C-alpha cells in the first residue's frame, strides 16, 4: 500500500469522472464531465476517465464503448483512461483488485473494519424488523468481535464474509464543500467495503482510487453528500489527505423528480444524437443547467457558448446549488440557434447520415445529389431545430416526380380556385428559358431562378387573379413538395429545375380534374 501515488511536486489539479458501465450512459455523466473538464482545463490540470465496474451484477460489456463514443461525440475528452492509458493505469476498477487488498487489511488490523458473516436472508429480516418498529435501518453489529467459529454457532451464518467499516459514535458528520461551504450529513453506518466476491464496494474503491490516482477534486452529484462522511473517515483511518469535494445539483424533471433512465428517454446519453441534437448544443445546455449565462456588452444574458468559452470564465462559486429543471424546450431552442450558426457545408454533412438512415439518400450519394443537398440545406437552415426534422423537408427534392405523394392535410386545405391557380402558374412558367447547364440568376439567358420565378408568378396569380399573396401560392407549394409546409417555394422550384416543377404542377392539376 502506497502512502501517495500522486506527484508531490505538482500543484496542477487532477479531476475525474467515474461512471459505471451498467447500460446506456446517463446524461448525468456528461453533466459531471463538463464541470470537471472545465476546471481541469482552466487550471492546466488533468481530466481522468475511470471505469467503476465493480458492480458485476449490473455490468454491461457494451456500455464502456458507449461511454467512449458519447463523451467523445460531445467533445468531453479525457487525458487518461482505459482506452488511452496514462501514468496511473489500469483505469478499470475490475483490473485493480490487488490494489484494494492492502487497504482493507490495514483497516482490519487497526480495528476500523471487521468481517461480517451474516447471510442476505438474515440482513433482509433485520431490515424488515427495523422498518416495522420504525427504527433507523442499519447493521446491528452481530459479527463485531467474533471469530468465524463463534459466529458460525449463531443463526444466519454465511460461509463467505464481507468486510464492514466499524464506524465510531463520534464519526464526523460535516465536511467542507467547494460549492456549498460547510455541509452536514447523516451519521454513517457500518458500510460494507469489500464484498464476498472480493470486489470492493464503491465507498472503498473510490477513496483508494482517488488517492492512488492523485485526484485533487472530487466533483459528483449531490446524492453522494450522505456518503461523504464515510469517505472522510476512510481517508482519516488510512492516513491519507482527502481531496476537495464539490457536490453538483441533481438534474430534475419538470415535476422536480430525479431524471432516471427507466422513466426518461432523455436520461440516456445516446438519445440526444438519435434525436438530432448537435453535441455543441447539448454541452451548452448542460452548462446552463447549473451555471448562469454570461453577460453581453449591454448586460444581456448570453446563453450560447462553447466549451472553451465556458472554461475561460468558470468558477465554483457561481455554480447554482438548486436542482436544475431539464427543460427540453430550452434545449430545442438552443439546438436551433446552433444549427443556424453552422457553415452550410458543415450542416449538410451533419444532415447526411439522418437522410441516409431515413432512405432519402443512398449510402454513396453522387456529386449532383450532394450539390443539391447543399442548396436545399441553405433553404431549411432557419426552419429546423433538430437534424431529424430535415427529412420531411428534404425528401421531396429526391423523389421521382411521379412518386411524390400529396399529404392528405395539404390536399384538404386546397381551395376551389386551386385548379385555376395551377393553370395560371403553368402558363407563366412554361415560357421561362433554362439553357442547358445554366443555373442561378447570373447565368446568361437563364430565367429559371428564384427571383424571376417569383416575379412571373406574382404577376400571374396575385396581380392577374387578385388573390392575396399569403393565399396565392398554397397550391403550388403542395404540388412541388406534397406538403402544407415546405422550404421557400421559389427557391425550391429553382433547385428542382424547370422540368420537375412543371411536371409536379401538372400532376396535381390532373388530380383535381
Amino acid at each position: 500500500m502506497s502512502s501517495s501515488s500522486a506527484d508531490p511536486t505538482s500543484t496542477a489539479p487532477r479531476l475525474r469522472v467515474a461512471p459505471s458501465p451498467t447500460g446506456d450512459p446517463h446524461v448525468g455523466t456528461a453533466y459531471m464531465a463538463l464541470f470537471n473538464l472545465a476546471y481541469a482545463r482552466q487550471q492546466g490540470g488533468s481530466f481522468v476517465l475511470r471505469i467503476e465496474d465493480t458492480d458485476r451484477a449490473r455490468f454491461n460489456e457494451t456500455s464502456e464503448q458507449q461511454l467512449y463514443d458519447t463523451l467523445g461525440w460531445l467533445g468531453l475528452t479525457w487525458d487518461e483512461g482505459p482506452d488511452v492509458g496514462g501514468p496511473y493505469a489500469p483505469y478499470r476498477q475490475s483490473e485493480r483488485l490487488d490494489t484494494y487488498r492492502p487497504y482493507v487489511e490495514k483497516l482490519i488490523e487497526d480495528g476500523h473494519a471487521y468481517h461480517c458473516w451474516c447471510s442476505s436472508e438474515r440482513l433482509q429480516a433485520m431490515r424488515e424488523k427495523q422498518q416495522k418498529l420504525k427504527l433507523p435501518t442499519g447493521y446491528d453489529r452481530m459479527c463485531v468481535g467474533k471469530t468465524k467459529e463463534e459466529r458460525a454457532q449463531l443463526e444466519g451464518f454465511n460461509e463467505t464474509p464481507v468486510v464492514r467499516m466499524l464506524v465510531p459514535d463520534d464519526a464526523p458528520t460535516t465536511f467542507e464543500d467547494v460549492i456549498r461551504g460547510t455541509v452536514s450529513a447523516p451519521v454513517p453506518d457500518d458500510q460494507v467495503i469489500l464484498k464476498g466476491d472480493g470486489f470492493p464496494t464503491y465507498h472503498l474503491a473510490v477513496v483508494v482510487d482517488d488517492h492512488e490516482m492523485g485526484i485533487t477534486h472530487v466533483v459528483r452529484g449531490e446524492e453522494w453528500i450522505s456518503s461523504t462522511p464515510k469517505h472522510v473517515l476512510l481517508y482519516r483511518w488510512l492516513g491519507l489527505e482527502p481531496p476537495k469535494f464539490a457536490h453538483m445539483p441533481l438534474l430534475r424533471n419538470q415535476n422536480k423528480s430525479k431524471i432516471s433512465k427507466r422513466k426518461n428517454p432523455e436520461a440516456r446519453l445516446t438519445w440526444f444524437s438519435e434525436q438530432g441534437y448537435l453535441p455543441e448544443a447539448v454541452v451548452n445546455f448542460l452548462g446552463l443547467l447549473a451555471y448562469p449565462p454570461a453577460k453581453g456588452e449591454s448586460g444581456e444574458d448570453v446563453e450560447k457558448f462553447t466549451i472553451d468559452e465556458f472554461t475561460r470564465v468558470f468558477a465554483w462559486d457561481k455554480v447554482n446549488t438548486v436542482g436544475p429543471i431539464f427543460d427540453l424546450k430550452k434545449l430545442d431552442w438552443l439546438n436551433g440557434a446552433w444549427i443556424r450558426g453552422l457553415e452550410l457545408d458543415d450542416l449538410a454533412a451533419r444532415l447526411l447520415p439522418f437522410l441516409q438512415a431515413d432512405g432519402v439518400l443512398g449510402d454513396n450519394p453522387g456529386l449532383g445529389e450532394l450539390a443539391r443537398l447543399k442548396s436545399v440545406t441553405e433553404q431549411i437552415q432557419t426552419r429546423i431545430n433538430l437534424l431529424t426534422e430535415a427529412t420531411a423537408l428534404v425528401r421531396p427534392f429526391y423523389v421521382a416526380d411521379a412518386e411524390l405523394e400529396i399529404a392528405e392535410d395539404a390536399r384538404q386545405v386546397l381551395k376551389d380556385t386551386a385548379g385555376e391557380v395551377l393553370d395560371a402558374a403553368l402558363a407563366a412558367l412554361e415560357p421561362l428559358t433554362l439553357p442547358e447547364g445554366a443555373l442561378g440568376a447570373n447565368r446568361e439567358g437563364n430565367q429559371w431562378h428564384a427571383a424571376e420565378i417569383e416575379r412571373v408568378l406574382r404577376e400571374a396569380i396575385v396581380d392577374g387573379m387578385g388573390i392575396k399573396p399569403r393565399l396565392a401560392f398554397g397550391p403550388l407549394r403542395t404540388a412541388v413538395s406534397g406538403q402544407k409546409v415546405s422550404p421557400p417555394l421559389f427557391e425550391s422550384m429553382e433547385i428542382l429545375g424547370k422540368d420537375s416543377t412543371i411536371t409536379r404542377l401538372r400532376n396535381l392539376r390532373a388530380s383535381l380534374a
Side-chain angles (χ1 to χ4, degrees):
M1 187 182 79
S2 61
S3 59
S4 176
S5 294
D7 178 1
T9 63
S10 175
T11 57
R14 290 176 55 78
L15 293 91
R16 52 72 172 170
V17 66
S20 298
T22 55
D24 202 330
H26 194 284
V27 65
T29 298
Y31 169 64
M32 293 302 158
L34 171 61
F35 284 79
N36 276 280
L37 179 64
Y39 186 70
R41 292 284 181 271
Q42 184 193 73
Q43 300 296 317
S46 300
F47 176 52
V48 178
L49 173 63
R50 186 173 71 227
I51 301 297
E52 299 198 341
D53 58 349
T54 59
D55 187 345
R56 305 312 286 179
R58 296 173 62 222
F59 174 74
N60 181 323
E61 62 184 25
T62 63
S63 182
E64 185 175 319
Q65 187 59 49
Q66 285 184 315
L67 279 164
Y68 301 149
D69 293 344
T70 50
L71 292 178
W73 174 71
L74 291 168
L76 301 172
T77 52
W78 47 99
D79 304 303
E80 303 168 27
D83 57 331
V84 297
Y88 301 100
Y91 292 91
R92 290 185 192 90
Q93 286 185 335
S94 61
E95 298 172 4
R96 300 173 59 82
L97 298 186
D98 291 344
T99 305
Y100 310 115
R101 278 286 175 186
Y103 290 92
V104 176
E105 288 165 6
K106 175 174 171 53
L107 291 169
I108 294 172
E109 285 172 18
D110 293 347
H112 296 306
Y114 59 95
H115 289 103
C116 172
W117 291 273
C118 289
S119 65
S120 57
E121 292 79 11
R122 179 186 181 270
L123 294 173
Q124 178 65 25
M126 178 195 73
R127 276 191 294 271
E128 289 174 358
K129 184 177 180 181
Q130 288 169 340
Q131 289 168 350
K132 189 176 181 180
L133 297 173
K134 293 187 170 48
L135 296 171
T137 54
Y139 183 57
D140 61 4
R141 293 184 168 175
M142 174 185 264
C143 294
V144 173
K146 293 182 177 65
T147 64
K148 180 178 181 180
E149 291 72 24
E150 290 170 340
R151 177 62 183 84
Q153 303 304 311
L154 305 173
E155 49 88 22
F157 176 77
N158 183 29
E159 190 70 33
T160 306
V162 300
V163 177
R164 291 181 180 273
M165 298 171 63
L166 183 57
V167 176
D169 293 338
D170 61 350
T173 56
T174 61
F175 63 92
E176 292 303 308
D177 189 286
V178 173
I179 297 172
R180 301 164 185 269
T182 302
V183 175
S184 295
V187 176
D189 58 352
D190 281 12
Q191 179 71 49
V192 174
I193 55 174
L194 191 71
K195 294 179 283 188
D197 60 6
F199 279 74
T201 62
Y202 168 82
H203 302 283
L204 177 74
V206 75
V207 167
V208 172
D209 286 341
D210 284 340
H211 164 67
E212 292 269 339
M213 294 181 180
I215 300 303
T216 60
H217 294 70
V218 170
V219 183
R220 56 192 179 190
E222 65 181 296
E223 71 267 34
W224 294 109
I225 285 176
S226 62
S227 296
T228 303
K230 301 171 191 175
H231 304 163
V232 171
L233 263 181
L234 288 170
Y235 278 107
R236 178 187 295 177
W237 290 340
L238 294 167
L240 308 178
E241 180 71 25
K244 292 182 170 66
F245 294 102
H247 289 90
M248 295 286 296
L250 288 179
L251 303 179
R252 299 191 181 278
N253 294 304
Q254 298 284 354
N255 65 1
K256 305 295 177 68
S257 64
K258 180 182 174 183
I259 286 184
S260 72
K261 287 192 289 185
R262 192 167 52 85
K263 296 180 179 178
N264 310 102
E266 66 272 19
R268 296 187 300 108
L269 207 42
T270 52
W271 180 84
F272 296 93
S273 58
E274 294 165 359
Q275 295 300 308
Y277 290 102
L278 303 184
E280 299 95 325
V282 177
V283 169
N284 189 166
F285 176 68
L286 292 175
L288 282 173
L289 284 174
Y291 205 82
K295 293 295 181 183
E297 292 181 4
S298 304
E300 76 280 10
D301 286 348
V302 179
E303 295 191 301
K304 185 169 176 264
F305 52 73
T306 64
I307 293 179
D308 289 343
E309 289 165 341
F310 182 69
T311 296
R312 277 198 294 273
V313 301
F314 181 74
W316 290 116
D317 61 6
K318 290 185 181 176
V319 174
N320 185 359
T321 58
V322 177
I325 300 299
F326 210 85
D327 183 356
L328 288 176
K329 289 182 180 176
K330 179 66 170 283
L331 175 56
D332 289 349
W333 171 83
L334 258 183
N335 204 63
W338 274 97
I339 283 176
R340 286 181 275 288
L342 291 178
E343 294 290 332
L344 207 52
D345 286 337
D346 187 6
L347 178 55
R350 298 195 198 208
L351 289 175
L352 184 56
F354 290 92
L355 298 170
Q356 290 173 320
D358 289 339
V360 176
L361 285 162
D363 291 340
N364 296 297
L367 292 176
E369 290 178 307
L370 293 174
R372 174 169 283 200
L373 176 57
K374 184 175 177 180
S375 298
V376 177
T377 299
E378 185 175 9
Q379 302 309 317
I380 68 172
Q381 186 164 17
T382 60
R383 295 176 175 234
I384 59 173
N385 284 329
L386 297 170
L387 298 180
T388 45
E389 292 172 352
T391 292
L393 296 171
V394 175
R395 191 185 297 279
F397 292 92
Y398 293 93
V399 172
D401 300 328
E403 295 174 10
L404 180 72
E405 293 184 10
I406 305 299
E408 195 55 40
D409 63 345
R411 191 180 288 277
Q412 285 176 352
V413 296
L414 292 175
K415 301 282 192 276
D416 292 340
T417 55
E420 296 171 54
V421 169
L422 289 165
D423 288 338
L426 285 163
L429 293 173
E430 285 179 323
L432 295 182
T433 58
L434 177 59
E436 186 73 27
L439 291 171
N442 299 323
R443 296 298 178 93
E444 188 175 343
N446 177 33
Q447 293 179 307
W448 194 264
H449 55 82
E452 183 64 8
I453 292 169
E454 180 177 4
R455 187 188 69 76
V456 299
L457 288 175
R458 284 187 180 278
E459 190 175 278
I461 301 170
V462 177
D463 300 336
M465 298 180 68
I467 300 177
K468 292 179 181 178
R470 68 184 184 85
L471 302 173
F473 305 116
L476 310 188
R477 179 171 285 105
T478 298
V480 166
S481 70
Q483 308 291 322
K484 277 201 307 183
V485 179
S486 73
L489 175 62
F490 311 116
E491 287 79 0
S492 295
M493 289 178 162
E494 178 182 330
I495 293 168
L496 277 170
K498 182 177 179 180
D499 289 347
S500 278
T501 299
I502 296 295
T503 299
R504 292 183 182 196
L505 293 176
R506 285 177 177 160
N507 287 347
L508 180 60
R509 181 66 184 93
S511 76
L512 300 177

